[in-house]
């Protein structure tokens, strides 16, 4: 049979354990420990789907079909012709980062521009050194998807320049926002994604690119 002092000590231990349990759960609910325990998921290396890129400065949305191949570091973007806009031209873009070259092809005339790529390959994934921001559901009751939000925010830097939202289960990109400088911010939404590349030839520039121009074409008349 436990003595009085032992009973008091045991009760104190139980109370301390209970308080610790409550504190940990409260901290976890506030995201204090979640950020330390959560590691970035691994995004698919090859997929095809659709995107909408919004330019916060011009207010312009660009809709496109995208083929993405991280294994070969290449992307093909085909702007979607959703409506007839006077003087509006639509383009196909092929980015070959291993060759440090990009092609801009006018969809109707097939006029081609060839330019050097000066920016490094930047995959649609969550870098290992990213900062965990939040985890939440997109949608409503009965139709929800769990996503994770990450950024490049660091304690010594006040503002992040990249925020990425990826699905919790399969790590598909949902949205990415970039601020390249204080006057240029873009947000890209991803949807209708399918794993793999159906036709790898979409990354091959058309024959018109053998005599390509050097100056990028505008999307107006």
């Amino acid at each position: 049979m436990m003595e009085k002092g032992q009973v008091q000590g045991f009760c104190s231990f139980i109370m301390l354990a209970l308080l610790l349990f409550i504190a940990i759960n409260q901290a976890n609910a506030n995201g204090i420990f979640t950020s330390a325990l959560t590691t970035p998921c691994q995004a698919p290396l090859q997929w095809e789907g659709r995107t909408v890129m919004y330019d916060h400065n011009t207010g312009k949305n660009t809709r496109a079909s995208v083929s993405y191949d991280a294994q070969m570091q290449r992307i093909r973007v085909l702007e979607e012709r959703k409506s007839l806009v006077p003087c509006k031209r639509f383009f196909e873009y092929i980015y070959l980062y291993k060759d440090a070259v990009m092609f801009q092809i006018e969809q109707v005339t097939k006029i081609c521009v060839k330019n050097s790529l000066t920016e490094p390959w930047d995959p649609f994934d969550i870098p290992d050194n990213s900062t965990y921001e939040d985890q939440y559901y997109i949608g409503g009751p009965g139709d929800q998807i769990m996503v994770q939000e990450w950024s490049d925010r660091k304690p010594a830097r006040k503002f992040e320049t990249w925020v990425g939202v990826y699905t919790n289960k399969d790590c598909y990109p949902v949205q990415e926002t970039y601020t390249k400088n204080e006057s240029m911010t873009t947000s890209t939404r991803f949807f209708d994604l399918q794993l793999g590349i159906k036709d790898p030839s979409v990354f091959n520039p058309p024959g018109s690119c053998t005599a390509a121009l050097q100056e990028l074409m505008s999307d107006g008349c």
Side-chain angles (χ1 to χ4, degrees):
M1 184 173 179
M2 296 179 65
E3 296 181 0
K4 182 177 181 181
Q6 291 177 318
V7 172
Q8 290 176 339
F10 180 74
C11 291
S12 298
F13 173 78
I14 294 297
M15 182 61 69
L16 180 61
L18 180 60
L19 291 174
L20 182 61
F21 176 79
I22 294 173
I24 290 175
N25 278 273
Q26 184 63 40
N28 193 47
N30 293 332
I32 295 176
F33 293 116
T34 307
S35 60
L37 297 174
T38 305
T39 56
C41 57
Q42 299 297 312
L45 296 178
Q46 292 183 327
W47 52 261
E48 291 182 310
R50 299 171 60 203
T51 64
V52 176
M53 187 180 72
Y54 175 69
D55 189 319
H56 293 249
N57 304 308
T58 64
K60 176 183 176 182
N61 281 303
T62 301
R63 299 180 180 273
S65 297
V66 175
S67 298
Y68 170 79
D69 182 5
Q71 294 178 343
M72 298 297 292
Q73 296 186 3
R74 54 188 184 176
I75 301 176
R76 186 252 195 167
V77 178
L78 183 67
E79 292 184 347
E80 294 184 351
R81 303 167 64 91
K82 285 293 184 181
S83 60
L84 293 176
V85 181
C87 293
K88 170 67 176 176
R89 292 195 292 182
F90 294 87
F91 298 101
E92 173 186 3
Y93 295 90
I94 300 175
Y95 301 88
L96 307 177
Y97 283 87
K98 285 190 174 182
D99 298 326
V101 65
M102 66 86 70
F103 297 91
Q104 179 195 38
I105 304 104
E106 206 279 320
Q107 292 187 25
V108 176
T109 64
K110 300 302 179 182
I111 295 175
C112 180
V113 172
K114 180 180 179 181
N115 257 349
S116 297
L117 278 175
T118 57
E119 296 185 355
W121 166 252
D122 185 10
F124 291 122
D125 66 0
I126 307 170
D128 291 336
N129 61 348
S130 299
T131 297
Y132 176 85
E133 297 290 354
D134 202 356
Q135 181 169 285
Y136 48 84
Y137 286 102
I138 292 178
D143 189 13
Q144 297 178 322
I145 296 177
M146 175 74 78
V147 297
Q148 295 182 8
E149 183 177 301
W150 297 78
S151 78
D152 63 351
R153 178 177 57 85
K154 297 296 181 289
R157 187 171 60 227
K158 185 176 181 181
F159 300 109
E160 61 273 1
T161 61
W162 168 82
V163 176
V165 179
Y166 283 72
T167 60
N168 194 58
K169 180 183 177 182
D170 296 313
C171 208
Y172 287 112
V174 175
Q175 180 168 320
E176 285 198 335
T177 299
Y178 275 96
T179 303
K180 294 187 177 180
N181 52 59
E182 292 183 356
S183 61
M184 182 177 180
T185 301
T186 59
S187 295
T188 302
R189 292 183 287 116
F190 304 81
F191 48 97
D192 293 343
L193 300 190
Q194 299 290 331
L195 286 177
I197 306 295
K198 290 183 179 179
D199 182 10
S201 69
V202 297
F203 298 105
N204 299 330
S208 59
C209 290
T210 56
L213 305 175
Q214 295 184 342
E215 186 175 351
L216 289 175
M217 294 175 280
S218 67
D219 60 1
C221 294

